[in-house]
Amino acid sequence: MDTPIVILNYKTYLESSGANALKLAHDLESAASESGITMVAAPQAADIYRISDEASIPIFAQHIDPISPGGHTGSSLINTLIEAGISGSLINHSENRMKLADIDEVIKLCRDNEIESCVCTNNIETSKAVAALAPDAVAVEPPELIGTGIPVSQAQPEVVEDTVKEVKAINKNIKVLCGAGITTGDDMKAAMDLGADGVLLASGIIKAESPKEALLDLVSKL
Ligand code: G3P
């Protein structure tokens, strides 16, 4: 991952599902090419192949299960997701929390398969614990701000600043992203000024009248 980085978590909004998932991927593609900023799509598993087949942007899974090939009905296998087109994955999003041992297992699966791991955390302490597992990135998101439009980088700057400080003290190679309520260029600039390597965001872009314009505004102050 180069810095600064923007990861758009598609979650399960209708505006970012199915045919809309592809449309949003094209918005990310053109905003990335106009701005020169790395923009990653994290769509639902069912939309990964559709996007990788038609758009040239990095794609992350929203979740990978800690399993190996075999009998695991209903699970998401890393091998299939890679074949569908991912180059990384979110892990432990606050809307899909995992056990510590499973987080460790999925980070190792990502490392063994040479894809990037971005572990979501809810606070500074959890971020420190996860840093010991050496993922490629940690994304700190206070759950109470998710989906509110209140940006963590402006409402709780100490969470971003201290997570950067503590995680980099444990392993300086880990990228630190922040998320929750991030929408505008001011929100992203505040995050970068606090030392973050990028942002993880969703509703502010997905629900915007023009997601492409919202993406360009997001990176306009860098
Ligand atoms: O993964 C991104 C996230 O949980 C933040 O969501 O809607 O506050 O940008 P949102």
Side-chain angles (χ1 to χ4, degrees):
M1 280 185 250
D2 295 328
T3 54
I5 184 169
V6 171
I7 303 180
L8 182 62
N9 181 359
Y10 282 36
K11 302 198 176 186
T12 51
Y13 292 109
L14 285 178
E15 293 87 341
S16 52
S17 300
N20 288 336
L22 182 57
K23 198 167 168 292
L24 199 50
H26 286 309
D27 288 336
L28 283 162
E29 196 174 29
S30 36
S33 105
E34 281 177 41
S35 65
I37 303 292
T38 304
M39 296 197 183
V40 178
Q44 291 165 59
D47 287 323
I48 290 170
Y49 182 73
R50 175 200 302 268
I51 294 173
S52 73
D53 197 37
E54 303 235 357
S56 295
I57 48 167
I59 304 170
F60 277 20
Q62 293 181 9
H63 172 78
I64 293 174
D65 282 303
I67 55 164
S68 48
H72 303 283
T73 304
S75 300
S76 288
L77 180 69
I78 190 168
N79 312 62
T80 318
L81 293 166
I82 290 172
E83 204 171 321
I86 63 162
S87 58
S89 185
L90 303 180
I91 299 168
N92 192 48
H93 192 276
S94 70
E95 293 155 6
N96 198 353
R97 282 277 182 248
M98 299 169 74
K99 288 188 231 162
L100 186 61
D102 291 343
I103 296 171
D104 184 37
E105 179 64 24
V106 176
I107 291 171
K108 286 180 176 143
L109 281 171
C110 289
R111 198 175 297 134
D112 291 348
N113 285 278
E114 298 179 350
I115 66 165
E116 290 174 294
S117 52
C118 176
V119 180
C120 302
T121 58
N122 57 321
N123 60 29
I124 300 162
E125 292 309 313
T126 312
S127 303
K128 284 165 65 178
V130 161
L133 306 177
D136 294 298
V138 167
V140 64
E141 302 193 314
E144 68 277 14
L145 296 181
I146 291 177
T148 62
I150 302 169
V152 59
S153 54
Q154 307 213 51
Q156 296 185 17
E158 68 288 352
V159 170
V160 180
E161 195 165 30
D162 290 352
T163 300
V164 171
K165 194 173 72 194
E166 300 286 354
V167 167
K168 303 269 184 193
I170 292 167
N171 183 338
K172 65 177 175 17
N173 295 320
I174 298 175
K175 306 276 187 204
V176 178
L177 312 185
C178 67
I182 303 283
T183 305
T184 67
D186 286 334
D187 304 342
M188 179 150 185
K189 182 175 186 310
M192 303 305 287
D193 288 348
L194 292 165
D197 296 298
V199 296
L200 171 62
L201 78 173
S203 54
I205 302 296
I206 292 167
K207 297 276 189 181
E209 200 173 313
S210 165
K212 184 184 160 188
E213 289 309 315
L215 286 165
L216 288 173
D217 177 67
L218 180 73
V219 297
S220 63
K221 309 239 161 122
L222 302 179

